Amino acid sequence: MSTDHRIVIVGGGYTGLLCAIRLARRTRRTGARVTLVNPSARFTERLRMHQVVAGQELADHQIPELLAGTGVEFVQGTATGIDTAGRTVAVRTPEGAAELPYDNLVYAIGSSTDTSAVPGADEHAETLNSPAGAHHFATRLARLAADGGTVAVCGGGLTGIEAATEIAESHPGLRVTLISRGEPGAMMGRKARAHLDAAFERLGITLCTGSAITKVLPDGVELADGRHIASDACLWTTGVRVPALAAESGIAVDGRGLILVDATLRSTSHPEIHAIGDAAAVRQAWGQVHGTCQSGLPVAAYTADALARRLRGKAVKPFRFGYFHQPVSLGRRDAVIQFTHADDTPRRWFLHGRPAVAYKETISGSPLKLYRMNKRMTVSASLSKGGRATRPERNAR
């Protein structure tokens, strides 16, 4: 193998950063060069964005510092195009345009909350898509809390639950409404949902369920059943979209824009390209993996290991993954952890209260610990490979 094999990773979120660190160490003796591209030099802890909205300050983790000692080159910039024939990535940097050649490309550009599907959401709702947006919304909430204002959190998934409870706990002067078409936390088991309901009641959160949102207005949210939910501020946490870069570059994608990959997470149309995290349509025998940090980190670690093995001329086994838990914070003093089967359906066991708070904090802080450890040794990023649900013999059926 040539000693100047170039590997470019676009996207420095949870998955891209782990892949870069692990790949640099695993390929050090091969002479491969690893480059990581990300628009910001600051690492965004997306698992903690609901804390930012509630007015809490997070630690300032700089990507160059996290990469220190790995040999990874960091390029601060935004990938604007991929020439799959010429194998180059066009990047817009603060200094101007640049082109990065690659022999292998790892596409790790994550997803964002989609406000385009409902009229008015883009104009009148805030999201957790960026630290700047979260800080701006936190400032608004602090002003509203002093006046006894109202806030609507749209979406009853885990992000919406965490945001609503965090806001209600940090700003008891705010009246918080959580709006969801279905039951919040519907993916959890009965006992875990009962704990959620008790937390909502304790924090004074009003639940509004059973109807879809049809419009977001400056002073509230309209529902399909005719109800108008008054609010001074709106936080949108439902719906996901990925950038169009992969599709525009001619890489095969599914109907949602996710890159189609084989069993070893290589693009089905361009095998020199690997897709990880929210960008990849990863399938297991039990179904399709959905974008979470829980799945993204194992995908990133696997991809780094697979690339390193291929560079040494070794075979690569198919990726295997199963879900293990659904950890949800309910403010700073409560949480609930639903343990799951490989396909993310609930098991009987769950954890709540202070033990769950400690568990959730461990999970939220684990990526940074994983980065530091992978600088020195190969550390597993998987809690579960899925057991029987992902064994090769089942995949062959």
Side-chain angles (χ1 to χ4, degrees):
M1 182 202 70
S2 171
T3 57
D4 61 353
H5 192 91
R6 300 156 300 186
I7 304 172
V8 175
I9 302 170
V10 289
Y14 285 111
T15 59
L17 191 54
L18 176 60
C19 188
I21 291 171
R22 192 173 177 116
L23 185 57
R25 193 182 65 78
R26 297 299 300 271
T27 61
R28 190 166 296 155
R29 295 181 181 178
T30 71
R33 292 184 293 166
V34 181
T35 301
L36 176 65
V37 180
N38 195 64
S40 172
R42 180 172 180 172
F43 174 67
T44 300
E45 291 188 88
R46 291 188 67 89
L47 289 176
R48 298 186 186 274
M49 293 296 281
H50 56 282
Q51 294 177 236
V52 176
V53 163
Q56 301 163 35
E57 288 295 329
L58 303 183
D60 182 6
H61 299 291
Q62 294 291 312
I63 293 177
E65 294 175 6
L66 295 171
L67 294 174
T70 64
V72 175
E73 178 188 4
F74 175 64
V75 175
Q76 185 175 347
T78 302
T80 58
I82 301 171
D83 179 355
T84 55
R87 296 195 181 184
T88 60
V89 180
V91 180
R92 184 178 65 251
T93 73
E95 292 77 30
E99 278 196 350
L100 301 178
Y102 67 85
D103 296 293
N104 283 111
L105 175 69
V106 180
Y107 190 103
I109 301 176
S111 62
S112 59
T113 302
D114 185 9
T115 56
S116 65
V118 175
D122 195 43
E123 295 84 0
H124 305 302
E126 306 277 359
T127 69
L128 302 180
N129 285 339
S130 71
H135 277 105
H136 175 264
F137 193 56
T139 302
R140 284 187 64 191
L141 292 182
R143 289 197 300 263
L144 287 172
D147 299 328
T150 59
V151 58
V153 177
C154 301
L158 303 188
T159 302
I161 292 169
E162 290 193 325
T165 53
E166 199 79 54
I167 292 168
E169 181 184 83
S170 297
H171 299 296
L174 279 175
R175 288 167 288 162
V176 180
T177 300
L178 180 59
I179 305 174
S180 175
R181 179 184 299 183
E183 181 182 7
M187 72 294 292
M188 293 184 156
R190 177 179 56 82
K191 292 183 178 180
R193 292 199 308 273
H195 187 78
L196 284 181
D197 291 339
F200 295 147
E201 183 175 355
R202 171 175 54 82
L203 293 168
I205 296 172
T206 300
L207 297 184
C208 180
T209 62
S211 186
I213 298 171
T214 56
K215 195 171 186 179
V216 179
L217 302 168
D219 63 347
V221 176
E222 288 186 357
L223 305 183
D225 61 9
R227 284 181 289 173
H228 176 89
I229 310 302
S231 66
D232 298 305
C234 177
L235 180 65
W236 196 266
T237 70
T238 184
V240 173
R241 65 181 171 191
V242 296
L245 178 62
E248 291 172 352
S249 302
I251 302 169
V253 298
D254 67 8
R256 296 184 297 157
L258 306 181
I259 295 177
L260 295 170
V261 295
D262 64 16
T264 62
L265 309 187
R266 296 188 299 178
S267 162
T268 56
S269 61
H270 298 81
E272 71 280 1
I273 297 176
H274 299 245
I276 63 177
D278 295 355
V282 180
R283 291 199 63 82
Q284 297 288 278
W286 48 261
Q288 185 156 322
V289 174
H290 57 85
T292 63
C293 193
Q294 181 182 176
S295 59
L297 292 176
V299 165
Y302 169 88
T303 296
D305 295 347
L307 264 167
R309 288 186 65 83
R310 284 198 169 98
L311 290 179
R312 294 186 175 93
K314 296 183 178 181
V316 175
K317 295 181 179 179
F319 175 67
R320 292 179 59 202
F321 169 78
Y323 287 98
F324 182 77
H325 58 200
Q326 297 164 352
V328 188
S329 61
L330 304 172
R332 295 296 86 201
R333 296 185 290 274
D334 194 9
V336 61
I337 314 296
Q338 173 67 66
F339 295 100
T340 70
H341 298 284
D343 63 357
D344 209 27
T345 55
R347 293 182 182 271
R348 290 185 302 165
W349 307 293
F350 80 106
L351 195 65
H352 63 90
R354 298 302 297 180
V357 171
Y359 188 107
K360 178 61 164 65
E361 182 57 31
T362 299
I363 294 300
S364 296
S366 62
L368 288 159
K369 295 177 183 176
L370 195 61
Y371 302 152
R372 298 185 183 105
M373 294 175 70
N374 270 274
K375 287 184 177 182
R376 305 187 304 272
M377 65 187 79
T378 300
V379 179
S380 176
S382 296
L383 291 172
S384 170
K385 290 189 176 181
R388 294 180 180 178
T390 58
R391 284 178 183 167
E393 60 267 22
R394 176 161 179 161
N395 284 313
R397 291 177 186 176

